[in-house]
Amino acid sequence: MNIWVINGPNLGRLDLRDSATYGDIAYADLVAFCEKTGKELGHTVSVFQSDDETEIIHLLHKAADEKVPVIINPAAFTHYSYAIRDAVAMLKAPVIEVHLSNPLSREEFRHTSVVSGVVNGTIGGFGLNSYELALRAISTIKAR
Ligand code: DQA
């Protein structure tokens, strides 16, 4: 299976973010982890990151056109981007929302995900293992 992992704003600078929340990792570690885990599971994983809402939406359009399964960490866009929600809703193949942290145990503004309603499932709170759990789950989802 060819799977796209799409990461939203500020995840490219995990080295600068609060390590108590996100772990002591850099974005390169996230990419290497997803590629290695995907390979072990027999998948080809392409990992993207953008701080730009438009760029993420265009990637989602491409994924919809090509019917590619998507694992997405929309980062802060999770909480307010109806445009990303609408683009996720167009996906034809399975899509899983992931978070490194558990947004529900953090500030109140993070308790809302405008994306959760249009994904197959959401995994959060397990650090990099959130991505592994999503990579394991995505091939078990039959259709949307
Ligand atoms: C995040 C949680 C979001 O609330 C936050 O804005 C992020 C990262 C996570 O992976 O835990 O940037 O999506």
Side-chain angles (χ1 to χ4, degrees), residues 9-11 17 21-22 73-79 98-103 106 109-110 131:
N10 300 310
L11 291 170
R17 297 190 76 177
T21 303
Y22 295 111
N73 183 346
F77 287 143
T78 305
H79 313 301
V98 296
H99 300 282
L100 292 160
S101 67
N102 175 6
R106 300 179 61 194
F109 75 89
R110 298 186 203 275
Y131 289 79

Coordinates of all heavy atoms in Angstrom, one line a residue, residues 9-11 17 21-22 73-79 98-103 106 109-110 131, ligand 1:
P9 N 1.2 22.7 10.4 CA 2.1 23.7 10.8 C 2.9 23.5 12.1 O 2.3 22.9 13.0 CB 1.2 25.0 11.0 CG -0.2 24.4 11.0 CD -0.2 23.1 10.3
N10 N 4.1 23.9 12.1 CA 5.0 23.8 13.2 C 5.6 22.4 13.5 O 6.5 22.3 14.3 CB 4.4 24.4 14.5 CG 4.0 25.9 14.2 OD1 4.9 26.7 13.8 ND2 2.8 26.3 14.5
L11 N 5.0 21.4 12.9 CA 5.6 20.0 13.1 C 6.9 19.9 12.5 O 7.7 19.0 12.9 CB 4.6 19.0 12.6 CG 3.3 18.9 13.4 CD1 2.2 18.0 12.8 CD2 3.6 18.4 14.9
R17 N 9.9 22.7 19.8 CA 8.7 22.7 20.6 C 8.9 22.0 22.0 O 9.9 21.4 22.2 CB 7.6 22.0 19.8 CG 7.3 22.8 18.5 CD 6.1 22.4 17.7 NE 4.9 22.8 18.3 CZ 3.7 22.6 17.8 NH1 3.6 21.9 16.7 NH2 2.6 23.0 18.4
T21 N 5.7 17.9 26.0 CA 4.4 17.6 25.3 C 4.6 16.7 24.1 O 3.8 15.8 23.8 CB 3.8 19.0 24.8 OG1 3.6 19.8 25.9 CG2 2.4 18.7 24.1
Y22 N 5.7 17.0 23.3 CA 5.9 16.3 22.0 C 7.0 15.3 22.0 O 7.2 14.6 21.0 CB 6.1 17.4 20.9 CG 4.9 18.3 20.7 CD1 4.9 19.6 21.1 CD2 3.7 17.7 20.2 CE1 3.8 20.4 20.9 CE2 2.6 18.5 20.1 CZ 2.6 19.9 20.4 OH 1.5 20.7 20.3
N73 N -1.8 14.7 10.4 CA -1.8 15.4 11.7 C -1.9 16.9 11.2 O -1.0 17.5 10.8 CB -0.4 15.2 12.4 CG -0.4 16.0 13.7 OD1 -1.2 16.8 14.0 ND2 0.6 15.6 14.5
P74 N -3.1 17.4 11.3 CA -3.4 18.8 10.9 C -2.8 19.9 11.8 O -2.9 21.0 11.6 CB -4.9 18.9 10.8 CG -5.5 17.5 11.0 CD -4.4 16.8 11.8
A75 N -2.2 19.4 13.0 CA -1.6 20.3 14.0 C -2.7 21.4 14.4 O -3.8 21.0 14.6 CB -0.3 20.9 13.4
A76 N -2.3 22.6 14.5 CA -3.2 23.6 15.0 C -4.4 23.8 14.0 O -5.5 24.2 14.5 CB -2.5 25.0 15.1
F77 N -4.3 23.5 12.7 CA -5.4 23.5 11.8 C -6.6 22.6 12.2 O -7.7 22.8 11.9 CB -5.0 23.2 10.4 CG -4.2 24.3 9.7 CD1 -3.2 23.9 8.8 CD2 -4.5 25.6 9.8 CE1 -2.4 24.8 8.2 CE2 -3.7 26.6 9.2 CZ -2.7 26.2 8.4
T78 N -6.2 21.6 13.0 CA -7.2 20.6 13.5 C -8.4 21.4 14.1 O -9.6 21.0 14.0 CB -6.6 19.8 14.7 OG1 -5.4 19.2 14.2 CG2 -7.6 18.8 15.3
H79 N -8.1 22.5 14.8 CA -9.0 23.1 15.7 C -9.9 24.1 15.1 O -10.9 24.6 15.6 CB -8.3 23.7 16.9 CG -7.3 22.7 17.5 ND1 -7.7 21.5 18.0 CD2 -6.0 22.8 17.7 CE1 -6.6 20.9 18.5 NE2 -5.5 21.6 18.3
V98 N -4.1 11.9 13.3 CA -3.2 11.5 14.4 C -2.7 12.8 15.1 O -2.6 13.9 14.5 CB -2.0 10.7 13.9 CG1 -2.3 9.4 13.3 CG2 -1.1 11.5 13.0
H99 N -2.4 12.6 16.3 CA -1.7 13.7 17.1 C -0.6 13.0 18.0 O -0.8 11.9 18.5 CB -2.7 14.4 18.0 CG -3.8 15.0 17.2 ND1 -3.6 16.2 16.6 CD2 -5.1 14.6 16.9 CE1 -4.7 16.5 15.9 NE2 -5.6 15.6 16.1
L100 N 0.5 13.7 18.1 CA 1.5 13.3 19.0 C 1.1 13.3 20.5 O 1.2 12.4 21.3 CB 2.8 14.1 18.9 CG 3.5 14.0 17.5 CD1 4.4 15.2 17.3 CD2 4.4 12.7 17.5
S101 N 0.5 14.5 20.8 CA 0.0 14.7 22.2 C -1.5 14.2 22.2 O -2.1 13.9 21.2 CB 0.1 16.2 22.6 OG -0.8 16.9 21.8
N102 N -2.1 14.3 23.4 CA -3.5 14.1 23.5 C -4.2 15.4 23.7 O -4.3 16.0 24.8 CB -3.8 13.2 24.8 CG -5.3 13.0 25.0 OD1 -6.1 13.5 24.2 ND2 -5.7 12.4 26.1
P103 N -4.7 16.0 22.6 CA -5.3 17.3 22.6 C -6.4 17.5 23.7 O -6.6 18.5 24.2 CB -5.9 17.5 21.2 CG -5.1 16.6 20.4 CD -4.8 15.4 21.2
R106 N -5.3 18.8 27.0 CA -4.6 20.1 27.0 C -5.6 21.3 27.1 O -6.7 21.1 27.6 CB -3.7 20.1 25.8 CG -2.7 19.0 25.8 CD -1.8 19.0 24.5 NE -1.1 20.2 24.4 CZ -0.4 20.6 23.3 NH1 -0.5 19.8 22.2 NH2 0.2 21.7 23.3
F109 N -9.1 25.1 23.9 CA -9.2 25.3 22.4 C -8.8 24.1 21.6 O -9.2 23.9 20.5 CB -8.5 26.5 22.0 CG -7.0 26.4 21.9 CD1 -6.4 26.0 20.7 CD2 -6.2 26.7 23.0 CE1 -5.0 25.8 20.6 CE2 -4.8 26.6 22.9 CZ -4.2 26.2 21.7
R110 N -8.0 23.2 22.3 CA -7.6 22.0 21.5 C -8.6 20.8 21.7 O -8.4 19.7 21.1 CB -6.2 21.5 22.1 CG -5.1 22.5 21.9 CD -3.8 21.9 22.3 NE -2.8 22.9 22.6 CZ -2.0 23.5 21.7 NH1 -2.1 23.2 20.5 NH2 -1.2 24.5 22.1
Y131 N 1.6 7.5 15.1 CA 1.7 7.3 13.7 C 1.8 5.8 13.4 O 1.3 5.3 12.4 CB 3.0 8.0 13.2 CG 2.8 9.5 13.1 CD1 3.0 10.3 14.3 CD2 2.6 10.1 11.9 CE1 2.9 11.6 14.3 CE2 2.4 11.5 11.9 CZ 2.6 12.3 13.0 OH 2.5 13.6 13.0
Ligands
DQA1 C1 -0.8 18.4 17.6 C2 -1.8 19.0 18.7 C3 -2.3 20.3 18.2 O1 -3.2 20.9 19.2 C4 -1.1 21.3 18.1 O2 -1.5 22.5 17.6 C5 0.0 20.7 17.2 C6 0.3 19.3 17.3 C7 -0.2 17.0 18.1 O3 0.3 16.3 17.3 O4 -0.3 16.7 19.3 O5 0.7 21.5 16.5 O6 -1.6 18.1 16.4

